[in-house]
Amino acid sequence: KHQFCPKCWAHSRRVNRVRIGMSSVELKLTTQKPAQFYLKAARSFLEGVPEKDGKPAKPPVNTVTLSALGNAIDAAALVATTLESDGVAVVSSIGTRFTAVTGPTKRSPSMVVVLRRKDTVKSVSGSLAVTTETTSPIEGQKPGTSGLRKKTKVFMEKNYLNNFVQATFDALKGDRVAVEGGTLVVSGDGRYWNKAAIQVIIKM
């Protein structure tokens, strides 16, 4: 659990939503309200609100951005996963960082999740046919830190990264980890060749 001062967050306790434009809204989550409050608010923005009791209807927005700090991150994750599971929205991007706060911790983790209304997301066309390439063991390549501490040029060699990733997948399956139908998170530290390496892992 992370402690933080609510006053140093980017809004007061009374303000928890900021309208960016006609097609997008930002919700700033805090621990002052339950996750279900923000879930209901995000859903109403994405689905729109019909006319009721003389109040005009509100059309749906295309994008809802969830901003959360510290312990409110759990609520943001619940809102995003629920709306995606219900087919209301698609998670477009997730960003994390540390934000300076007052207090003994000095800084607190923060997260920004961008949700796109599902019917506004264009499907990507193209072949997803799986191809199999024959490879062979590479000398000096082994698991653990000794196998990972190689120069970038070594990882860029043909099938070096591919071998490592396939071996990891095989080990997970061997341990009966639910890889197929499960969720794998791929990330990097921003160093050179990270983007290309991540693309290789995603394709595999």
Side-chain angles (χ1 to χ4, degrees):
K1 299 296 184 181
H2 302 276
Q3 295 180 346
F4 70 99
C5 174
K7 292 183 179 179
C8 67
W9 190 215
H11 57 91
S12 71
R13 295 181 181 181
R14 295 188 299 272
V15 179
N16 47 45
R17 70 185 183 188
V18 179
R19 184 172 291 276
I20 299 174
M22 294 299 293
S23 62
S24 61
V25 165
E26 180 180 7
L27 287 176
K28 293 187 175 181
L29 288 69
T30 72
T31 56
Q32 303 298 315
K33 290 184 172 62
Q36 292 299 322
F37 170 84
Y38 296 107
L39 175 60
K40 183 178 179 180
R43 188 186 298 274
S44 66
F45 281 124
L46 290 165
E47 294 181 339
V49 180
E51 180 182 357
K52 185 178 180 181
D53 298 331
K55 296 181 180 180
K58 295 181 179 180
V61 300
N62 295 334
T63 304
V64 170
T65 301
L66 307 175
S67 302
L69 179 71
N71 294 336
I73 289 177
D74 288 346
L78 184 144
V79 173
T81 54
T82 300
L83 292 176
E84 188 170 55
S85 176
D86 292 348
V88 176
V90 174
V91 175
S92 176
S93 65
I94 301 174
T96 59
R97 60 175 295 182
F98 279 100
T99 300
V101 298
T102 58
T105 59
K106 302 298 183 183
R107 61 178 189 167
S108 181
S110 61
M111 183 172 71
V112 176
V113 182
V114 178
L115 299 172
R116 294 275 299 175
R117 187 157 50 90
K118 189 170 183 179
D119 56 6
T120 65
V121 178
K122 296 181 179 179
S123 60
V124 179
S125 61
S127 174
L128 295 178
V130 177
T131 59
T132 302
E133 184 172 341
T134 303
T135 183
S136 57
I138 298 176
E139 185 177 355
Q141 186 180 46
K142 55 184 178 180
T145 56
S146 58
L148 290 172
R149 290 175 181 172
K150 300 291 184 180
K151 298 292 185 181
T152 303
K153 289 184 177 180
V154 175
F155 270 88
M156 295 173 68
E157 293 176 359
K158 182 177 176 60
N159 287 337
Y160 191 92
L161 176 61
N162 304 64
N163 276 17
F164 215 106
V165 174
Q166 187 61 56
T168 301
F169 287 161
D170 292 344
L172 290 172
K173 291 182 179 179
D175 288 342
R176 297 183 179 180
V177 177
V179 178
E180 296 180 3
T183 300
L184 295 175
V185 179
V186 183
S187 64
D189 58 9
R191 299 185 191 184
Y192 177 73
W193 204 60
N194 259 204
K195 289 184 178 180
I198 289 175
Q199 288 299 314
V200 170
I201 297 170
I202 291 174
K203 290 177 181 177
M204 292 186 63

